[in-house]
């Protein structure tokens, strides 16, 4: 079966990184978050492009992800692991020269014991209660950890996509008091935090979703384009149904295209009723249920049926699909299927 084409515009990715970098002062460093395989777009190529744009420090979620990024970037770039130093991670951290963000006293002890002298960072919990040392643990560990020379001290905002949320200020104050007197680079802001302004920038920012073209960076250029192959077309008469459950019934003589992509490729079943594909400029709605490997599309209004229908383009982006699916652009991006052939341009 012909597979879908996921095209990744590396020039747009770089432009988004530069635009986010320009939102903080010149002496604030911008890193790049490439976890979850570069938000689904392919961490190796994405990381290489961002290194070309100027990123020197990268973040992944888990040590295994860091290995793939190290292989792509070679020595030199710093690759940090949000998840820290888990049991059994020492070998891969050492092999790939990764910098774990240590999240607990336990992780700190494990790291210093297994890899004494190896680089590390510290992640603090400023109120999200997900990862990082609690203020009391940090107070107890702080002098010892700072004397050992961490690469950075960071925390993460829970509500940065809502600029007026009181949690932002609250976490800012909590983080400020935890890093008072700390002389190594500090970092609080992901994409949302960058947009909250200079108070949130400290010495290092950590953009992710905005670089990949998603909210909350409303000015982002689209990065992901997705074209789905048409494998069959058929005419249906008024009254004929299409797909599982007979949920769509033709009201006019219709031309239906069967397209090779489904929920196993990240086209969430729930997005079906509201989502369009495009034959050139002509919108062609998905009709009937999205199934595992296939969707059906009403192409009656298309002047001709192209070999590929476009799902992600300049008219319909990841956040439009997210709205249709009741989710966020992050989940759409990271669901983009493993079966897609990824093409990089730029
Ligand atoms: C995912 C993540 C980021 C990047 O967040 P975006 O909202 O995608 O910019 C930054 N920091 C941490 C700790 C994260 O988990």
């Amino acid at each position: 079966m012909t597979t879908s084409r996921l095209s990744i515009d590396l020039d747009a990715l770089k432009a988004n990184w530069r635009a986010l970098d320009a939102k903080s002062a010149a002496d604030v460093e911008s890193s790049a978050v490439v976890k979850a395989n570069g938000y689904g777009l392919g961490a190796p190529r994405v990381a290489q492009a961002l290194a070309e744009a100027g990123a020197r420090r990268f973040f992944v979620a888990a040590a295994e992800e860091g290995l793939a990024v190290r292989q792509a970037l070679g020595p030199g770039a710093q690759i940090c692991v949000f998840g820290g130093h888990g049991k059994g991670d020492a070998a891969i951290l050492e092999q790939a020269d990764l910098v774990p963000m240590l999240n607990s006293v336990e992780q700190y002890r494990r790291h210093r014991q297994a890899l004494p002298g190896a680089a590390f960072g510290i992640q603090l919990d400023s109120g999200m209660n997900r990862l990082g040392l609690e203020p009391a643990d940090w107070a107890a560990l702080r002098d010892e950890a700072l004397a050992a020379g961490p690469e950075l001290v960071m925390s993460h905002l829970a509500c940065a996509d809502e600029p007026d949320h009181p949690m932002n200020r609250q976490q800012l104050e909590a983080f400020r008091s935890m890093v008072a007197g700390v002389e190594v680079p500090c970092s609080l802001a992901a994409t949302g935090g960058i947009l909250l302004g200079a108070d949130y920038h400290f010495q290092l920012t950590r953009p992710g979703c905005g670089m990949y073209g998603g909210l909350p960076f409303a000015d982002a250029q689209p990065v992901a384009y997705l074209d789905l192959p048409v494998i069959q077309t058929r005419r249906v008469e008024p009254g004929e149904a299409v797909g599982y459950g007979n949920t769509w019934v033709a009201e006019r003589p219709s031309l239906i295209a069967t397209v090779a992509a489904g929920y196993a490729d990240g086209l969430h079943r729930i997005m079906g009723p509201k989502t369009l594909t495009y034959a050139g400029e002509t919108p062609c709605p998905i009709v009937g249920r999205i199934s595992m490997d296939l969707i059906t599309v009403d192409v009656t209004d298309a002047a001709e049926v192209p070999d590929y229908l476009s799902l992600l383009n300049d008219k319909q982006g990841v956040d439009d699909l997210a709205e249709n699916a009741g989710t966020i652009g992050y989940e759409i991006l990271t669901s983009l299927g493993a079966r897609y052939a990824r093409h990089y341009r730029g």
Side-chain angles (χ1 to χ4, degrees), residues 33 35 39 82 123 130 154 156 190-192 206-210 330:
V33 178
K35 62 190 177 186
Y39 287 51
F82 287 135
Q123 182 156 198
R130 191 181 65 167
M154 61 162 284
H156 192 49
T191 303
R206 307 185 310 270
C209 202
Y330 298 68

Side-chain angles (χ1 to χ4, degrees), residues 14-78:
K14 291 182 192 175
N16 289 337
W17 184 84
R18 288 196 193 98
L20 287 166
D21 181 44
K23 302 225 175 264
S24 58
D27 60 350
V28 175
E29 179 188 342
S30 297
S31 67
V33 178
V34 295
K35 62 190 177 186
N37 193 25
Y39 287 51
L41 301 184
R45 295 296 300 273
V46 155
Q48 283 167 350
L50 292 166
E52 283 165 25
R56 291 286 163 266
R57 209 186 298 236
F58 297 80
F59 286 90
V60 293
E64 289 75 5
E65 295 181 337
L67 183 59
V69 176
R70 174 62 71 207
Q71 281 159 353
L73 291 178
Q78 187 176 85

